[in-house]
Amino acid sequence: MTLAPTSDPAPAPPDGTAAPVVDLRGVSRRFGTVDALLDLDLSVPSGTITVLLGPNGAGKTTATRIITGALEPHHGDVRVFGLDPATHGEEVRRRCGVVSAKPALYDRLTGHANLAYSAELYGLGRGPEVDERIHAAATRFGIEHALDQQVGGFSTGMKTRLALARSVLHDPQLLLFDEPTSGLDPESSHAVLEMIKSMTGGGVTVIMCTHLLLEAEGLAQQVVVLEGGTDLVAGAPRELTRRFWPASVVRLDAEDRSQLARVVEMPGVRGAETVGDGLKELAGMAGDGVDAPLGSGPVDVQLEDPDGVADLVDALVRSGVRLTRVEPRIPTLEDLYFAVRRSRAQSHTVLADDGGRQLTPASNGAGS
Amino acid sequence: MTAPATPVARPTGRINASVKPPIRLKPSRVWTIARTELKQLIEARDFWMPMMILGGIFFLVIPTILLFAITSIGNIHAVHQISQAVQLLPAKARAAVRGKSEQGQTAYALAVFLLAPVAVVVPLTISTAVGASTIVGERERGTGEFLAHSPASVHEIYLGKLIASVVPGYVTTIVGFGLYSLIVNTLVGPEVGGWFFPTTQWWVLMLWVVPPFVLLTLSVVLRLSARVKSTAAAQQASGLVTLPLIMIAYGEATGAVYGGNWVGIAVGAVVWFLALLGLWRGMKAVTRGRLLGVADGI
């Protein structure tokens, strides 16, 4: 999966005229001496899937807790559905569905009792209609067969499915998933991500926290990279791809590799560098390239025009190069993540060298 | 830090100092939380079995053995010893002792006066055990996250937990009290001319004095449960804190029964006041941060 335009899973976010569902401005939250969030800005448009990417301790979980009003910020402005969760917490939370990293289910209760408890707390009440709703939600996530069993006997996958069913029971407008595939096997993870993708139908807004880049691919319409409680970068995957990889890249190999040296003379080529035989990843494009002369191995060619691959291939063939490999290199979210962090690290180094303020992100041990 | 895609004209960087909305409680939601907590207790056989045994020992086994030994077996040694204890009762209480024979009077005094504090010890012990784990348990199991994100207010959560902690101890006590009454009337009734129990003082004790003592104890226990790091720590701390309360309750319950109805009502009124004060202050101990386990100091 990649960040290619075709990989966007759903229609692009609205044009920005509508008020965002979630709007955090300069939000900070401290636990003791640790800054869990530091001047965080986050804007989530309605009906989109936003992925908060970041390592453990980046502030993802704290951000979701601030959004529902489960925690209050020490500084900054929070608006969810245009409301301040600190003063309109009940209304905000009633319109949110949350799946936390741990499923947060009551082991001594049955699956049905867990969902019924949630239904009552969210104001759905009790009775046959609610029972039908519970059954429908459980069926949607393939857990209806276990509703009468105690949750303590559930597998991790079953618990996650039940937690997902619970999160949508009251038809929330905003869904917050905090590492929902934590502890799941690859097959279950894939199924859960597919379910999450299917939830955005009907205008529901989704915010998902993860440190797994592969999870976010194919799912995110907006990516926010967090580190040390601060947002490093935010935007649509396509937009970020353009920002961090202004040039399109194609990897070429030929029967006679020495002929590949000619590529730099071709029109529309911005630059080229030799890479190892398939071992070098795109992450190396920002300066980590193999220090070898062109023609000693496959080359990664940077093009000015993203659609210039066909023209380049045509030109090379006309000049007598017998190509054995033409592989357009489309950056993945993983590439993006490391590029953002690398860019951040470089800016820190520059500032430090200039004697400026050291911008090392605060370490963070509380929440994540 | 990154510029949002859709700028909205709104002042930023405000120090968070939101004006809190007034406390509004939905009784249905309080009851939902309490009921779910109780449902889990019922499923926990390892919890309610010791609870039943404790109530059974205090309300059934010990009274039955003692009263049966006095009234039916005519254990002279036991009668003599308890008669000596009866002499220590206040004059008003001694004057109230009924019975055709020394055995009957001894049995009456034992049933009405000497076993009264049991009615306080049982509910306090059980409610402390339930209450100590109720909030910290949510945090340990991770379910505090669910509650913290739910629309329920912290006050509703607190009251739900409070009710769920009161009910097991108080219901056990009321059921035990009913069975105790049956035993007392069956064994001692023939000695004093028919069914006589519960006396008015016992009604006052059970319905007016015991409930506020339970609430007062729980106001302390729930605060501890919200603040400590583990269930084990909550149990330890609760045991230490509530032991003096149990001793005070023991003494006051005795006084309420010995001193007559007005003494019982006065004692109850004072304890109700203290209990409500404690609960009001205790309500502030439960926060969403504490349910999540991220509040400073946890």
Side-chain angles (χ1 to χ4, degrees), chain A residues 23 65 72 77 120 231, chain B residues 1-2 10 20 35 145:
Chain A
D23 195 12
R65 289 169 171 174
E72 287 185 31
D77 205 30
E120 283 194 70
D231 50 314
Chain B
M1 298 265 282
T2 53
R10 186 151 52 76
K20 295 290 175 193
R35 186 161 35 80
E145 185 95 25

Side-chain angles (χ1 to χ4, degrees), chain A residues 16 23 25 31 41 65 68 70 72-73 75-77 86-87 90 93 104-106 117 120-121 150 230-231, chain B residues 1-2 6 8 10 13-16 19-20 26 29 32 35-36 40 43 138 142 145 149-150 288 294:
Chain A
D23 195 12
R25 303 284 184 86
F31 296 114
D41 288 338
R65 289 169 171 174
T68 64
E72 287 185 31
H75 192 267
D77 205 30
T87 51
E90 182 181 342
R93 285 187 284 276
L105 296 161
Y106 294 89
Y117 184 34
E120 283 194 70
L121 286 186
Q150 272 199 341
T230 301
D231 50 314
Chain B
M1 298 265 282
T2 53
T6 54
V8 177
R10 186 151 52 76
R14 122 187 111 81
I15 299 291
N16 193 274
V19 178
K20 295 290 175 193
K26 286 190 176 169
R29 204 141 55 191
T32 296
R35 186 161 35 80
T36 305
Q40 291 179 82
E43 294 295 330
E138 294 276 1
E145 185 95 25
H149 288 296
S150 79
R288 292 184 189 277
V294 296

Side-chain angles (χ1 to χ4, degrees), chain A residues 84-207:
Chain A
D84 182 353
T87 51
H88 295 81
E90 182 181 342
E91 190 173 343
V92 167
R93 285 187 284 276
R94 206 174 46 232
R95 294 160 75 177
C96 293
V98 180
V99 175
S100 48
K102 284 183 186 174
L105 296 161
Y106 294 89
D107 283 354
R108 282 187 170 136
L109 299 180
T110 63
H112 184 277
N114 268 281
L115 297 191
Y117 184 34
S118 180
E120 283 194 70
L121 286 186
Y122 281 85
L124 300 181
R126 303 161 76 185
E129 280 181 20
V130 173
D131 286 342
E132 273 178 33
R133 202 165 178 151
I134 287 171
H135 196 264
T139 305
R140 184 173 173 188
F141 294 98
I143 195 71
E144 76 284 2
H145 61 281
L147 279 179
D148 294 331
Q149 295 170 22
Q150 272 199 341
V151 168
F154 280 20
S155 68
T156 308
M158 290 165 78
K159 284 182 178 176
T160 303
R161 284 165 186 269
L162 192 69
L164 284 166
R166 184 175 65 179
S167 73
V168 300
L169 198 59
H170 54 288
D171 287 337
Q173 293 162 274
L174 172 63
L175 285 163
L176 297 126
F177 299 120
D178 188 2
E179 301 187 4
T181 60
S182 170
L184 295 183
D185 58 63
E187 200 174 326
S188 300
S189 294
H190 178 72
V192 165
L193 292 174
E194 287 300 311
M195 289 171 194
I196 290 172
K197 200 189 283 187
S198 72
M199 285 179 187
T200 49
V204 176
T205 307
V206 174
I207 297 175

